[in-house]
Amino acid sequence: MRVVITGAGTGIGRATALRFAREGAHVLAVGRRLEPLAALGRGIEPLAADVTTDVDAIARAAGPVDVLVNNAATALGQPLGRITAEAAHAQVAVNLLAPLLLTQAVDLRKGGTVINVSTSTGGRGWPGRSVYAATKAGLESLTRSLALELAPRHVRVNAVAPGAIATPIADHLPPDELAALRAWQVARTPLGRIGTPEEVAEVIAHLAAAPFTTGVVLPVDGGAAVGA
Ligand SMILES: NC(=O)c1ccc[n+]([C@@H]2O[C@H](COP(=O)([O-])OP(=O)(O)OC[C@H]3O[C@@H](n4cnc5c(N)ncnc54)[C@H](OP(=O)(O)O)[C@@H]3O)[C@@H](O)[C@H]2O)c1
């Protein structure tokens, strides 16, 4: 099995790369920084590439693909009034356009599957992170449309929608803001804790192995989607 995972050097992408490699898959691990990718180990081929500019190079390196995991993302907190066009474009390019263009460019085998990584706020509003939330809402819409377009080729397209997961994605925040974000996330998670990257990787692997499931967005969020 050949698997391509973007944003594979850290967090959910890293856990997913290790999960598939453990099953004996050949994993092409894509990210901008080579170092964390090169440290992933056996069965995992690192590729330093930017999903916004290197789509054709990634598709060429991938060859025929069984599983494409569109996981790379940029999350910038910017309240209305402080949103710059540059930051908004950057999030749209990484979180929405790259998954679309990669899905189009990659040679997906018959029986193959695409799994997009959304967020539990993809179907709701997120004050202060409106652009990020909008890109994920778009990614969920894309998941449904591409599932229909690719079904005749026997390629499935699904998404996972993680809730609060312990990864480096919010590491750029000052410690007090990060602590406030974590407290807010735990408070709105019925299971009362932050999830792990491995718990998301497990669901991605299950979706990859679910031959009659396409066009769904599956929450992995400790119940947040059905809570408040
Ligand atoms: N953690 C959470 O609470 C949470 C919740 C909901 C959804 N998610 C989603 O889960 C996914 C993974 O995020 P994470 O939490 O695991 O955070 P993360 O560890 O920061 O992972 C993001 C990865 O994307 C890569 N990346 C960013 N821009 C890229 C680009 N232009 N080209 C190639 N790679 C790029 C980064 O590596 P380089 O910097 O080396 O490129 C990084 O490894 C994202 O889609 C995120 O929106 C996370």
Side-chain angles (χ1 to χ4, degrees):
M1 177 163 60
R2 290 184 67 87
V3 179
V4 178
I5 303 173
T6 66
T10 59
I12 293 167
R14 177 178 183 277
T16 306
L18 295 172
R19 174 71 177 72
F20 278 109
R22 224 175 33 240
E23 278 180 14
H26 173 276
V27 178
L28 181 69
V30 180
R32 288 167 303 181
R33 290 164 295 156
L34 185 59
E35 204 185 338
L37 302 168
L40 288 170
R42 255 167 53 123
I44 303 179
E45 179 187 345
L47 178 67
D50 187 320
V51 294
T52 65
T53 52
D54 302 327
V55 167
D56 291 342
I58 296 167
R60 265 197 312 276
V65 168
D66 300 290
V67 182
L68 167 63
V69 183
N70 285 310
N71 166 76
T74 304
L76 301 172
Q78 290 183 322
L80 203 58
R82 279 199 261 139
I83 297 171
T84 64
E86 190 187 4
H89 281 298
Q91 289 176 95
V92 172
V94 180
N95 304 358
L96 181 62
L97 296 181
L100 169 66
L101 296 175
L102 260 181
T103 302
Q104 180 174 262
V106 159
D107 176 15
L108 288 158
R109 279 185 171 136
K110 186 175 176 185
T113 185
V114 178
I115 295 160
N116 296 319
V117 181
S118 181
T119 172
S120 61
T121 49
R124 294 201 295 251
W126 193 353
R129 285 185 171 72
S130 57
V131 179
Y132 174 73
T135 62
K136 295 298 192 176
L139 186 61
E140 293 184 7
S141 170
L142 209 60
T143 299
R144 290 183 281 270
S145 297
L146 297 185
L148 296 175
E149 282 199 43
L150 289 173
R153 284 173 45 195
H154 303 280
V155 170
R156 298 176 297 110
V157 185
N158 292 296
V160 291
I165 309 295
T167 75
I169 200 163
D171 279 0
H172 61 280
L173 294 175
D176 55 333
E177 273 184 49
L178 183 57
L181 176 67
R182 290 300 186 213
W184 177 75
Q185 288 173 323
V186 170
R188 57 188 288 281
T189 303
L191 288 180
R193 66 173 175 86
I194 303 290
T196 68
E198 289 73 22
E199 288 169 325
V200 183
E202 200 55 40
V203 177
I204 291 173
H206 280 302
L207 273 180
F212 202 48
T213 300
T214 195
V216 307
V217 179
L218 189 58
V220 191
D221 63 358
V226 292

